[in-house]
């Protein structure tokens, strides 16, 4: 008899846990995801009812009238995201940084920031440092015919502070900044 009681208790516990962890919990998480669909659907940004990007993923930008993101080892392809995994002492890393340093003058002015010369761990970082964004203001203002002071204010308006006030660094989302720039024009 004790063996049968243990088997019945085990079967009941399995059913309860299967229901709780296999049905109720996933349904709860799905429901919360539906309550905040922008986050659950990848923070997609639309314009004229058409998806133009995600605020969570960097995109390639070559247009001189727009702000440029940090470099990507994956060419901004989400399916192949990842860093280069090259050490700072690697000759390939030194070559890549030297090439980006030489190309920096076409994108921004002043001394290059680290995020202008190196890729992020994912290769899809949507943000750049405020300093890198400010270094691009003159080029963008010249290419668009806008007042440089107004473009600089736009960068300041789109600079997000540290998360929770102490995590990470201030950052500028390139896609959101470029959309605001388009609205300004």
């Amino acid at each position: 008899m004790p063996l049968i009681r243990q088997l019945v208790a085990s079967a009941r516990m399995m059913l309860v846990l299967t229901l709780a962890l296999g049905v109720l919990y996933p349904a709860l998480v799905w429901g919360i995801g539906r309550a905040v669909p922008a986050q659950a659907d990848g923070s997609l940004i639309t314009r004229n009812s058409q998806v133009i990007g995600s605020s969570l993923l960097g995109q390639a930008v070559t247009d001189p009238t727009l702000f440029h993101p940090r470099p990507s080892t994956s060419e901004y392809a989400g399916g192949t995201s990842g860093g280069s995994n090259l050490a700072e002492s690697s000759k390939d890393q030194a070559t890549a940084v030297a090439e980006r340093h030489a190309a920096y003058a076409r994108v921004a002015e002043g001394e290059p920031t680290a995020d202008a010369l190196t890729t992020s761990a994912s290769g899809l970082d949507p943000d750049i440092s405020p300093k890198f964004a400010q270094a691009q203001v003159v080029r963008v203002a010249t290419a668009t015919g806008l007042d440089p002071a107004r473009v600089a204010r736009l960068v300041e308006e789109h600079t997000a502070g540290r998360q929770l006030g102490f995590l990470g660094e201030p950052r500028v989302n390139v896609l959101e900044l470029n959309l605001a720039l388009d609205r300004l024009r």
Side-chain angles (χ1 to χ4, degrees):
M1 276 306 198
L3 179 61
I4 292 176
R5 272 192 7 218
Q6 285 181 346
L7 287 174
V8 170
S10 296
R12 277 191 210 151
M13 185 54 84
M14 185 183 77
L15 288 173
V16 168
L17 289 174
T18 299
L19 179 66
L21 300 175
V23 177
L24 297 177
Y25 179 74
L28 175 69
V29 171
W30 178 82
I32 291 170
R34 294 294 88 210
V36 286
Q39 287 288 324
D41 292 338
S43 299
L44 300 177
I45 296 177
T46 59
R47 184 167 50 182
N48 301 327
S49 301
Q50 195 167 24
V51 175
I52 58 169
S54 167
S55 64
L56 301 175
L57 296 173
Q59 298 176 329
V61 175
T62 56
D63 186 342
T65 66
L66 298 174
F67 286 88
H68 291 211
R70 71 185 296 172
S72 171
T73 54
S74 66
E75 300 304 320
Y76 305 98
T80 59
S81 72
S84 67
N85 292 332
L86 296 174
E88 188 176 346
S89 60
S90 165
K91 288 181 182 176
D92 291 340
Q93 176 75 334
T95 301
V97 169
E99 289 170 357
R100 293 179 194 130
H101 196 283
Y104 180 81
R106 293 190 305 269
V107 176
E109 52 185 38
E111 190 62 30
T113 59
D115 59 326
L117 301 178
T118 59
T119 63
S120 67
S122 69
L124 301 171
D125 192 350
D127 302 322
I128 58 175
S129 67
K131 188 174 178 182
F132 184 28
Q134 288 291 349
Q136 298 182 58
V137 165
V138 172
R139 174 188 52 83
V140 170
T142 302
T144 59
L146 294 170
D147 177 31
R150 180 62 187 116
V151 177
R153 274 196 313 276
L154 194 65
V155 169
E156 290 172 18
E157 292 166 7
H158 285 83
T159 299
R162 297 170 186 265
Q163 295 168 335
L164 302 176
F166 66 95
L167 294 174
E169 295 294 326
R171 65 209 176 284
V172 178
N173 185 289
V174 177
L175 178 59
E176 291 172 358
L177 177 61
N178 284 335
L179 289 173
L181 182 65
D182 279 347
R183 286 190 297 273
L184 190 61
R185 291 191 282 178

